[in-house]
Amino acid sequence: MGLSLPPDQNPNYRLNTSLLIDYCHDDGTHKYILIDVGKTFREQVLRWFVHHKVPSADSIILTHEHADAVLGLDEVWVVQPRNDRNEIHQIPIFLTQVTMDSVVRRFPYLVEQKPEDGDEDAQAAKIDWKIIEEDVDKPFVASGLEFVPLAVMHGEGYICLGFLFGRRARVEYLSDVSRFLPKTEHGKKTFFVHNLCSDN
């Protein structure tokens, strides 16, 4: 079929895997958390943020450093919260040290918090980089919601993260998996048993 059909009719037309979580706090306020911003991120935002009336993203979590997870970082400024003077608010991005090292090489201007090539009129994302651990015993909190990292193999010798999250119902999100690590299997069973015994 190739390019003969428009995107909405083409079964081979796909964008990069990503997840948008709409987390409603007890006081009724909504926080929007993104997992992964791949190379098709801008198109996904134009397509779905407007359609679902998502005003911005409050936090971003990265599973790994491949193009399908991080190459949209250059467009993050488009979804950052703004104040009434249209000034961009800083957004936390959670990632492993391995992914951070890759981001530093690919997007030095994002890490340095200044526009590329010294263009002072250009938009530059304001990012708070937060290093997370590849360990199921070390959860972290993004926009008020707790996430438990789940380390999985993404091809031999390469670790990617999935995440366990949710309060009343637990959700396990795994985007790129070839094999489960024993500690992740053990961690999943532990959390599942805990969830069955919990009132939350």
Side-chain angles (χ1 to χ4, degrees):
M1 288 181 211
L3 300 175
S4 62
L5 292 174
D8 60 340
Q9 297 173 23
N10 190 336
N12 296 315
Y13 182 79
R14 297 178 299 166
L15 303 176
N16 296 135
T17 301
S18 185
L19 179 69
L20 176 64
I21 301 165
D22 178 355
Y23 175 52
C24 185
H25 287 255
D26 292 335
D27 64 2
T29 59
H30 289 257
K31 293 294 183 181
Y32 298 95
I33 305 163
L34 271 169
I35 299 182
D36 286 340
V37 288
K39 56 186 181 288
T40 59
F41 176 62
R42 185 179 180 84
E43 183 175 352
Q44 289 168 297
V45 169
L46 293 173
R47 234 181 187 195
W48 300 115
F49 272 56
V50 174
H51 179 76
H52 292 287
K53 297 180 174 59
V54 178
S56 58
D58 298 288
S59 299
I60 295 173
I61 303 170
L62 302 177
T63 58
H64 63 305
E65 45 94 21
H66 287 170
D68 61 341
V70 305
L71 279 195
L73 283 171
D74 196 47
E75 304 289 348
V76 162
W77 66 272
V78 174
V79 299
Q80 286 192 256
R82 296 170 182 266
N83 62 21
D84 54 4
R85 294 190 301 273
N86 204 33
E87 296 169 331
I88 296 174
H89 286 213
Q90 194 174 53
I91 188 168
I93 297 184
F94 298 82
L95 69 174
T96 64
Q97 186 61 56
V98 170
T99 302
M100 185 74 225
D101 293 342
S102 176
V103 167
V104 168
R105 291 190 302 272
R106 287 173 166 169
F107 303 100
Y109 55 95
L110 291 181
V111 178
E112 295 165 8
Q113 303 285 285
K114 63 182 182 181
E116 192 174 14
D117 299 326
D119 182 358
E120 297 305 321
D121 294 327
Q123 292 278 3
K126 294 182 179 177
I127 299 169
D128 180 14
W129 301 101
K130 295 187 174 292
I131 304 300
I132 57 179
E133 301 290 335
E134 296 175 6
D135 190 330
V136 294
D137 295 326
K138 294 183 180 177
F140 62 92
V141 176
S143 297
L145 182 61
E146 185 178 82
F147 289 81
V148 178
L150 301 173
V152 295
M153 297 305 296
H154 176 25
E156 277 312 304
Y158 187 84
I159 291 179
C160 175
L161 291 185
F163 299 98
L164 183 68
F165 61 91
R167 290 174 59 195
R168 291 178 180 84
R170 303 291 273 176
V171 176
E172 183 178 298
Y173 178 76
L174 302 165
S175 62
D176 287 296
V177 185
S178 60
R179 180 169 57 85
F180 287 100
L181 295 170
K183 69 175 183 176
T184 301
E185 278 293 329
H186 173 72
K188 283 168 45 186
K189 289 173 186 170
T190 300
F191 283 111
F192 181 67
V193 170
H194 171 73
N195 191 41
L196 288 176
C197 298
S198 173
D199 293 330
N200 294 328

